[in-house]
Every structure is written in structure tokens, then in C-alpha cells.
Amino acid sequence: MCEDYINERLIIRRPYSLMLPFREVRVLDINSEHLGVSIDSLMENAGEAVAEAIVKEFGAEKKVAIVCGVGNNAGDGFVAARNLLRYCDVTVLLASPPAEIRTENAKRAYERIKHVAFSSVGANFSNFDIVIDALLGTGNLTEVREPYRTLIKRINAADTTIVSIDVPSGLHTDLAIKPQYTVTFTDVKEGMTPENSGEIIVMDIGVPRDAYHAVGPGEFIYYPKNRPDSHKGENGKVLIVGGGPYTGAPALAGMGALRIGADLVHIATPNASYIPIASYSPDLIVHRLSQDVLCPEDVEKIVEIIESVDAVLIGPGLGKDERTQEAVRMIITKCNKPMVIDADAITAISSNLSVLNGKECILTPHAREFKVLTGESVSQEAAIAAAKELDCVLIVKGKEDIITNGKWTKINHTGNSRMSVGGTGDVLAGEAVAMLSKEISPFNAARIAAFTNGAAGDLAFESLEYGFTATDVIDKIPEVLRRYLRRI
């Protein structure tokens, strides 16, 4: 790997085949803003980085065309044009009229270079030494439409050097720019190779470390908002298997699931806890089991309910009776839906981890449960190793939650010391299963749930300080959604 420094900005050339998924770029943007680095600042840094890379690679006094679309990739191109004007003969060629530029950030960048901007119609790209592709960025995941199809074909056919900004326009579709170079930001994007992206130059544009490594409001790009015409149950049906010795845990989990957006929550609970849980809220659909603790005799009934829901949470408040532990393992073995395995259910599976084989699940251990599950003390390295071995997602709860699927790992900094109050872990499990019920992948479900739970706890602390309880956290979940979903 070759490394150079340009004005203290690292340039890395490396032939990766898989790294940062396209949608994660949007996560980084939102999380960066949350951490105080604006999109305008990132755009300025990106444009400067492109200009620096161009001058370093090709020298000055080149005739350069920057072909721009209407999104933030175009904004990067506009800033690059402004910086290159100091060294080169620069023309900005627009795919669409300026009035169609979509983002306010790109509009502001355009205003500063509009004196060198013209329509791309009829332009001869072979007349330029370098053509910079700023048409379509990582937001384009499907098909390339006009006028971009024609422009991409014309640029590819030109006798010139092509440089793409961030990703070649149209990458992963049926028609893409074929550059000799791609100047990308922060990290190589998913699917980029020397064959489809040319020489890949990675530039640091000042994305905060925590935007990449910590969960934030950007995770909500994976939250599916309800369709206006959706009906009851289409936005997530959940089953919680819990209770018996303890009555509060499954009810708290159920209300957490509803508050974060599940449509229906069923709770299958032993006879002893049925009346308290059924009395907790009319929003919960409660099923009475046969004994005072979960027993193997109840498994058949629970499996029938599982067939009517989208995701299952097992564990809150179940206790450690031997019959319960056996029933938990039986249910997990028979379950064909995504699962969250929490609390006493983690103890149950620790004696026979093979029940997890082929299952799509999230495990939510705290430090003691992690020790029982793995034999190890909590660390990021141990969590990653366990997730790989178990082939599942872990939310390892602590002062800073560790969320990992063994390949990707994020840390949750939200929350506060009062989150030690009983029940907040049950709320987290409910939030996670609700996300699974919406057909979100386990890793994305876990990161949304962890951020939401901690952020709701922080809001509760703002008003109640050390007096808040788990029910107060539940009440703040809608406020977290209101604050952050509107930014997506």
C-alpha cells in the first residue's frame, strides 16, 4: 500500500473489493452533523480533497470539465471546481438546469462557481484533458435514467482521462462511468475495484471518528416509516415469551416495542403472571399459559402463536426453573422467525449453544450473562469473537453498549448512570424485537434499538434526573423518533 500526505490529508491507494456500503455514507453524514460537523463542512473538505488529488496526480494548467448532477455529489464537484480554478482552466457542465439542484448544500456551492457553469448539451468531452464525474453519488442504488444515461455513454466514449468523485456514477447498475481514477472519501465503498473504479484514492474529509464507530441518529435511515395505506399488523407483529416469577419485565418489553413502532404485541406468559400483565395495558394481547412457570407443555401453543407474528422475544422475567430452561431451548429450536434472546433465556441456551444454529437472532447479555454465555469478561474483542462463533448479533449491555455481528461493530454512547434502574434492559429488548418485526436486519435493528433506548434515557434524565424509571424511558421513545426520523 502506498501512502502520501497532501497538506496533511492522507491519500491511500488500495484495491479493495468490499468496504463501506453505499447507505452507510448517509449514516456517516447524519451522524457527523449530530456530532457538530455540518454537511457544508464535509462538502468543502471533499471538494478540496478532489482538487488536491487532481493537482498532485496530473499537475496544473490542465483543461478540466466537471460534469455535475443535482445532488450532493454535484456539490462536491462544485467545490472542487472552485478550488481547481486556482490551478487549471475549469468548466462546469450541468446535467440539468440549476433550478433542479436538489439540496441546499449543493445550491450554496453552485452559487460560488455559476460563472463557469454551462449546460452539458453538445459538449465535446474529448476537448478536455480531464473529465471529472460528479453526476451520481452513493445515493443512486437502482437504475440510471436520462439525462444521465446519455451523458455517461458520451463521457465513456471520449478520448480523455476520467476521474470520478466518491464512486463512479452508476456503479452497481447496468450503466456506469468507467474512470481511470476515483477519488473517494473516508473509505472505499462497497463493490469498488480497480476494474470498475480505476486507481482508487481515499481522502480524509474530516468525518468524526464517532460518526463511523458509534451509533447515532443516522442509524434511522434503516427505519421503515409506515405507508399511508398500511393496515393493522403490516408494520410489525411481535410475540414476547416471558414472565412467571416476574411480571414487569415482559410488560415493559411489550410497551417498548409498541412505542418504537410495532403494530401488535402478543405476550405469552405463565398463569401466575397472566392477570398482572393483562391488567398493565389494553394495548397488549396477552395469552395465558398452563402452569405458573413456562413449561415444555406450553411449547406447542407458543409455536402456534409464532406462526402469526413477525419476530419473537424470549426471556424477560422467565426465571431459571429447570422446566423453563428446557422449554426455552425447545422454543428456540422450533422458532422460524427472527428472535431476540434476552435475560434468563441467555442462561438457558448457554448450556446448549447448538440451538442457535441457523437462527436469525439478537442476543442482549449484560456482563454477567456474557460471562455465562462465553466464559469471557466483556471486551470489544471478546464480543466480536462471540458474535462470529455464534453467527448472531450481540448487544452487550454496559456503560457503553457493544453492538456487533462479528464483522461490523458499533458502540452506543447514549444513556446515563440511571439506566441501571430495573427494566431498561427489558425496554431495549422490546425495541430490538420491534425492529426485527419490521424486517430490518438484526445488526441494523440492534443499532437502532440501542441508540433509541439510550437517547430516551437521556431525555428522561433531563426532566427527572435520578428519579426516572423504565416506564419514563418508554414514554420518551416517541420523542426520540420525532426528533430524528424527521431528519431522514
Side-chain angles (χ1 to χ4, degrees):
M1 179 175 69
C2 171
E3 298 185 358
D4 297 315
Y5 286 87
I6 298 180
N7 296 343
E8 300 182 350
R9 195 194 307 273
L10 179 63
I11 290 184
I12 310 172
R13 295 173 172 83
R14 52 186 175 182
Y16 284 114
S17 59
L18 174 65
M19 187 55 86
L20 192 66
F22 276 20
R23 295 189 74 185
E24 289 298 311
V25 176
R26 180 67 175 141
V27 174
L28 289 180
D29 285 347
I30 296 169
N31 286 349
S32 294
E33 280 199 296
H34 182 64
L35 294 167
V37 179
S38 69
I39 298 299
D40 280 333
S41 295
L42 293 177
M43 187 174 287
E44 281 295 314
N45 292 345
E48 289 176 10
V50 171
E52 290 172 3
I54 294 291
V55 174
K56 173 71 174 180
E57 200 69 44
F58 304 105
E61 299 182 1
K62 300 297 182 183
K63 190 173 183 181
V64 179
I66 304 181
V67 191
C68 297
V70 294
N72 279 348
N73 191 247
D76 297 339
F78 298 147
V79 177
R82 194 179 76 242
N83 284 273
L84 279 171
L85 280 168
R86 292 177 288 172
Y87 308 102
C88 299
D89 178 5
V90 178
T91 301
V92 173
L93 298 173
L94 302 175
S96 300
E100 296 183 17
I101 296 172
R102 288 198 307 264
T103 73
E104 294 302 317
N105 312 90
K107 288 177 182 177
R108 286 191 289 271
Y110 171 75
E111 285 298 315
R112 301 180 69 179
I113 55 83
K114 63 184 181 181
H115 59 289
V116 294
F118 306 93
S119 171
S120 61
V121 176
N124 185 347
F125 297 112
S126 296
N127 287 340
F128 297 92
D129 300 312
I130 303 165
V131 172
I132 299 176
D133 156 36
L135 287 169
L136 302 168
T138 54
N140 183 65
L141 299 171
T142 53
E143 62 178 326
V144 176
R145 300 177 180 177
E146 294 294 355
Y148 299 101
R149 293 191 71 85
T150 296
L151 271 172
I152 289 173
K153 290 176 183 177
R154 288 172 56 204
I155 292 170
N156 284 341
D159 181 18
T160 187
T161 298
I162 303 170
V163 180
S164 287
I165 295 181
D166 206 17
V167 295
S169 291
L171 185 65
H172 303 322
T173 73
D174 68 323
L175 180 65
I177 289 286
K178 298 176 181 178
Q180 286 76 51
Y181 298 82
T182 298
V183 181
T184 196
F185 312 125
T186 306
D187 220 327
V188 177
K189 307 308 185 293
E190 187 174 55
M192 288 175 63
T193 67
E195 289 71 31
N196 60 34
S197 302
E199 186 171 347
I200 301 170
I201 305 172
V202 182
M203 300 291 279
D204 175 21
I205 60 169
V207 171
R209 178 179 175 82
D210 270 353
Y212 193 96
H213 294 289
V215 292
E219 323 306 310
F220 281 112
I221 72 161
Y222 296 107
Y223 185 104
K225 296 181 181 179
N226 296 8
R227 298 191 323 273
D229 61 346
S230 62
H231 299 285
K232 180 175 67 177
E234 292 182 348
N235 301 292
K237 301 184 294 292
V238 165
L239 170 64
I240 298 169
V241 182
Y246 308 100
T247 61
L252 291 170
M255 294 308 298
L258 289 169
R259 287 297 194 189
I260 203 172
D263 274 0
L264 297 171
V265 172
H266 297 258
I267 299 178
T269 193
N271 181 63
S273 52
Y274 171 78
I275 291 177
I277 294 173
S279 303
Y280 187 88
S281 170
D283 298 308
L284 303 171
I285 305 166
V286 189
H287 304 263
R288 188 197 301 262
L289 301 178
S290 65
Q291 307 294 316
D292 283 344
V293 295
L294 177 66
C295 292
E297 292 83 355
D298 297 314
V299 170
E300 183 177 349
K301 179 177 181 177
I302 290 169
V303 170
E304 289 179 4
I305 301 172
I306 287 172
E307 292 304 312
S308 66
V309 301
D310 302 306
V312 176
L313 163 60
I314 185 165
L318 282 176
K320 296 182 174 65
D321 187 285
E322 289 184 4
R323 294 168 295 171
T324 299
Q325 301 277 286
E326 180 184 354
V328 166
R329 291 187 288 268
M330 292 171 65
I331 293 166
I332 292 172
T333 299
K334 293 175 179 290
C335 183
N336 59 359
K337 301 292 175 68
M339 285 178 282
V340 175
I341 301 173
D342 181 53
D344 297 322
I346 293 174
T347 303
I349 67 170
S350 63
S351 63
N352 183 8
L353 293 174
S354 66
V355 299
L356 297 178
N357 291 346
K359 303 300 180 180
E360 185 179 14
C361 59
I362 299 170
L363 274 62
T364 59
H366 53 54
R368 290 192 304 275
E369 291 164 344
F370 186 81
K371 182 77 170 181
V372 170
L373 185 68
T374 67
E376 302 286 340
S377 297
V378 171
S379 69
Q380 187 167 319
E381 294 74 17
I384 292 170
K388 286 180 180 177
E389 182 177 351
L390 299 173
D391 192 22
C392 67
V393 172
L394 293 179
I395 305 175
V396 183
K397 297 177 288 190
K399 180 182 178 182
E400 293 183 335
D401 304 323
I402 303 168
I403 305 114
T404 181
N405 61 4
K407 177 182 176 183
W408 294 92
T409 300
K410 283 213 163 188
I411 306 299
N412 178 39
H413 298 308
T414 62
N416 53 76
S417 61
R418 180 56 182 166
M419 302 294 283
S420 63
V421 67
T424 57
D426 302 307
V427 178
L428 170 62
E431 292 163 315
V433 74
M435 294 298 94
L436 286 180
S437 76
K438 293 176 176 290
E439 300 183 355
I440 302 173
S441 74
F443 182 67
N444 292 335
R447 55 205 274 208
I448 292 171
F451 175 80
T452 301
N453 197 57
D458 289 338
L459 290 175
F461 190 87
E462 285 181 13
S463 56
L464 299 170
E465 294 194 350
Y466 293 99
F468 78 76
T469 65
T471 54
D472 297 312
V473 174
I474 291 169
D475 289 342
K476 293 298 184 181
I477 293 172
E479 175 65 13
V480 175
L481 299 184
R482 187 188 70 81
R483 286 190 180 194
Y484 297 120
L485 280 178
R486 66 185 181 185
R487 298 174 61 183
I488 306 302

